[in-house]
Amino acid sequence: MPANKTLLISAVTAALGGLLFGFDTVVISGAEQRIESLWGLSSQLHGLAMSAALWGTVLGSLMGAYPSDRFGRKRTLLAIGLLYFVSAVWSALAGDVYSFMAARFLGGVGVGVSTVAAPLYITEISPPALRGRLTGMFQFNIVFGILLAYLSNYLLSGLGETAWRWMLGVEALPALAYSVACLFLPESPRWLLTVRGDRDSAAEVARRVGLAESEADADALLDQIDAASRAESPNQRFFTRGLSRPISLAFLIAVFNQLSGINAVLYFAPRIFEMTGLGPQSAFQQSIFVGVTNLVFTLAGLWLIDRLGRRTLLVIGSLGYILSLGLCSWAFATESYPIVPYCLFAFIAAHAIGQGAVIWVFISEVFPNRHRAAGAALGSGTHWVLAAVITLVFPTAVTKFPPSVVFGFFATMMVVQLVWVATRVPETKGVPLEELQRRLGTE
């Protein structure tokens, strides 16, 4: 079924928060070595500076449910854009490492909240047949932002000693544009009904975004949403036996996402390529190829997610992870360095078509309406805690252990993921959100 104009514009606008997310988190890869030498950072302080944004992301993801429920999805998305803007300007002007870390931490808060609010919003305004592709646009924009960051870093890398400041500061322009665009979003009809209790506004938005074609259709949809919400106790706590299955699914998909090593590869791509003997400029160029590969295979994942389903893409991605990471580990162990870039490109492709395409869609689908924001915060928070930890320890890990051991560990974790997907993960493709609530036993 085609998406109507309002639905498409609203979903694309919300998903642009992912573009800023991808740009903000990866742009540091072009500045990290200059920052290390400029302020004479130890490996521990360097790791802390690199992971500062991720610790902010942890806080933002854990607290993201509160503004999303208290103030609404639309106002939360607007606030995210403003956080990105302030962080970009402050990071570019930072005079010492501690000021820099504070600025990056603030931007990280925006990233964390965006991983809760944006997929949540898109999921709630989308019809079942389009939900995977529309919510998946958030991931597409993440990887598009990553590609733009790599490209921007490459183009600005010749500006001399202050190039890193321009790399970080240029984000202020799209952040400001995104904030303005969010002013024109309609609010989520499910939030209007289940949190605000505003049935008339919920019905009007449902018709505008194409969830209902007539007043009668809107009334029927809202009755279904209301009935599903009433099936839950208003005072039901989040960590209960009734929510144990979606909680475990959201937690584990986030855990395995990070145990693949994806953030280590994305954030330290130039450094990894230099380990194979490439010069700094060539390493930046290879990083752009990483971004292009990520974008192309994310598009493939979005095309397939509502056709093959979430579970099938996770299986395909797991197999690709195992092969690419295993081969990368072997290449470092045997000093077969020329094949390392191709292994990393294959790894990125496996991630993009599997976990990358699925994670934010899946986490936003499996929880009932009343607990969807809290569930998204759990999955996102888990993801970012591990991302911060891995980014913090990676510079130390590759000095204490051979790269072959580090990549071998990631490959082993992906074997465990494949077993989990094959035995425990349900298919959510094309199932209405309220029907998923019944199937997962969360009523």
Side-chain angles (χ1 to χ4, degrees):
M1 71 179 284
N4 76 14
K5 184 178 179 180
T6 301
L7 171 62
L8 187 59
I9 291 174
S10 299
V12 168
T13 299
L16 287 175
L19 185 145
L20 293 167
F21 160 5
F23 191 99
D24 187 85
T25 53
V26 173
V27 71
I28 190 67
S29 69
E32 59 104 359
Q33 294 189 63
R34 174 58 186 152
I35 288 169
E36 181 182 28
S37 61
L38 176 65
W39 290 318
L41 305 181
S42 65
S43 62
Q44 290 77 18
L45 189 56
H46 178 225
L48 187 60
M50 281 293 291
S51 65
L54 291 174
W55 293 112
T57 302
V58 170
L59 177 63
S61 60
L62 292 175
M63 64 176 277
Y66 176 77
S68 297
D69 278 342
R70 177 69 177 82
F71 304 109
R73 296 12 173 175
K74 174 182 175 177
R75 290 181 181 177
T76 302
L77 292 172
L78 173 60
I80 289 165
L82 296 176
L83 285 173
Y84 283 133
F85 177 79
V86 173
S87 172
V89 174
W90 189 1
S91 297
L93 298 177
D96 59 76
V97 67
Y98 299 103
S99 176
F100 174 80
M101 286 192 288
R104 293 290 296 163
F105 182 87
L106 185 65
V109 172
V111 171
V113 178
S114 76
T115 59
V116 175
L120 181 67
Y121 174 80
I122 302 170
T123 293
E124 291 186 340
I125 67 171
S126 301
L130 297 174
R131 193 173 63 233
R133 276 168 283 179
L134 292 178
T135 308
M137 285 196 302
F138 181 72
Q139 177 65 20
F140 169 80
N141 277 285
I142 292 172
V143 301
F144 188 42
I146 289 170
L147 175 59
L148 288 179
Y150 284 141
L151 181 60
S152 174
N153 285 350
Y154 173 67
L155 293 175
L156 296 172
S157 62
L159 293 182
E161 297 297 307
T162 61
W164 69 273
R165 296 187 184 275
W166 290 101
M167 291 176 184
L168 296 170
V170 73
E171 184 188 352
L173 297 177
L176 187 60
Y178 173 72
S179 300
V180 172
C182 285
L183 292 171
F184 302 97
L185 290 174
E187 186 51 85
S188 159
R190 285 181 166 89
W191 181 82
L192 287 169
L193 180 64
T194 61
V195 178
R196 178 74 68 82
D198 188 347
R199 187 180 178 95
D200 291 341
S201 295
E204 192 270 333
V205 173
R207 291 193 298 271
R208 282 179 61 192
V209 300
L211 286 174
E213 295 182 1
S214 64
E215 287 189 25
D217 290 340
D219 283 337
L221 173 65
L222 296 183
D223 285 342
Q224 183 182 18
I225 295 171
D226 193 40
S229 295
R230 291 179 186 278
E232 308 170 64
S233 168
N235 298 317
Q236 182 184 2
R237 292 176 292 109
F238 181 71
F239 290 102
T240 61
R241 183 181 297 274
L243 291 173
S244 61
R245 191 172 185 204
I247 285 173
S248 67
L249 290 170
F251 176 77
L252 287 173
I253 196 172
V255 167
F256 285 122
N257 182 282
Q258 286 305 300
L259 290 181
S260 69
I262 182 63
N263 277 37
V265 171
L266 291 177
Y267 294 2
F268 295 94
R271 182 177 292 247
I272 294 171
F273 285 124
E274 286 186 35
M275 290 178 186
T276 69
L278 291 175
Q281 199 69 5
S282 295
F284 275 117
Q285 291 173 344
Q286 294 287 359
S287 298
I288 294 174
F289 294 140
V290 167
V292 171
T293 302
N294 205 354
L295 186 69
V296 169
F297 282 89
T298 296
L299 283 171
L302 294 185
W303 188 78
L304 293 170
I305 193 169
D306 284 323
R307 293 173 170 84
L308 297 182
R310 291 53 156 158
R311 186 173 182 272
T312 302
L313 291 189
L314 287 175
V315 170
I316 293 171
S318 297
L319 293 171
Y321 277 142
I322 294 165
L323 291 173
S324 58
L325 289 168
L327 190 56
C328 192
S329 176
W330 173 84
F332 273 112
T334 60
E335 299 185 359
S336 303
Y337 297 134
I339 72 168
V340 169
Y342 302 103
C343 296
L344 293 182
F345 298 151
F347 165 74
I348 293 295
H351 174 80
I353 207 167
Q355 268 269 14
V358 171
I359 180 171
W360 306 116
V361 178
F362 189 78
I363 288 174
S364 295
E365 289 178 325
V366 295
F367 289 94
N369 289 320
R370 194 179 300 278
H371 294 287
R372 185 166 294 116
L378 169 75
S380 179
T382 302
H383 173 279
W384 289 115
V385 166
L386 284 174
V389 170
I390 289 173
T391 304
L392 177 64
V393 304
F394 187 80
T396 302
V398 293
T399 59
K400 292 186 178 296
F401 301 99
S404 60
V405 172
V406 175
F407 284 99
F409 169 78
F410 292 144
T412 302
M413 292 300 99
M414 293 303 93
V415 173
V416 180
Q417 175 181 259
L418 178 59
V419 173
W420 172 69
V421 171
T423 59
R424 302 298 298 170
V425 174
E427 183 54 72
T428 61
K429 178 188 70 171
V431 183
L433 295 176
E434 287 68 36
E435 172 63 15
L436 269 176
Q437 179 176 334
R438 185 189 66 79
R439 292 189 185 183
L440 294 174
T442 57
E443 290 188 340

